[in-house]
Amino acid sequence: MVDLTDAEKAAMRAAMKMVAEIMEEIGWQTRLVDLSEAQVLTLIEVAIGGFQDAMREIAAANEPHSPEVPF
């Protein structure tokens, strides 16, 4: 397991909220094995995109201290 920074942990929480929205549409009772390929790809895309967006926002908020996005 990788030691995550506080920013990465915050970005994961932001991404989790976006994934939860998709799961709400799919249905929380749906088993992972029952998801279609398109649904799994959507979950992955939303998780990665949400994480990246949150990291960009965090980096922008800390711009004077950190000029580059940390990924």
Side-chain angles (χ1 to χ4, degrees), residues 16-29:
M16 182 175 56
K17 291 176 185 178
M18 297 177 75
V19 169
E21 291 175 12
I22 300 300
M23 282 307 301
E24 193 68 34
E25 291 177 22
I26 292 171
W28 284 102
Q29 71 285 355

Side-chain angles (χ1 to χ4, degrees), residues 4-22 43-58:
L4 300 173
T5 66
D6 289 341
E8 290 167 332
K9 290 176 186 176
M12 286 175 56
R13 283 190 292 279
M16 182 175 56
K17 291 176 185 178
M18 297 177 75
V19 169
E21 291 175 12
I22 300 300
L43 285 170
I44 293 168
E45 182 180 334
V46 167
I48 292 170
F51 181 85
Q52 290 176 334
D53 291 346
M55 288 298 288
R56 281 187 200 95
E57 289 175 17
I58 291 166

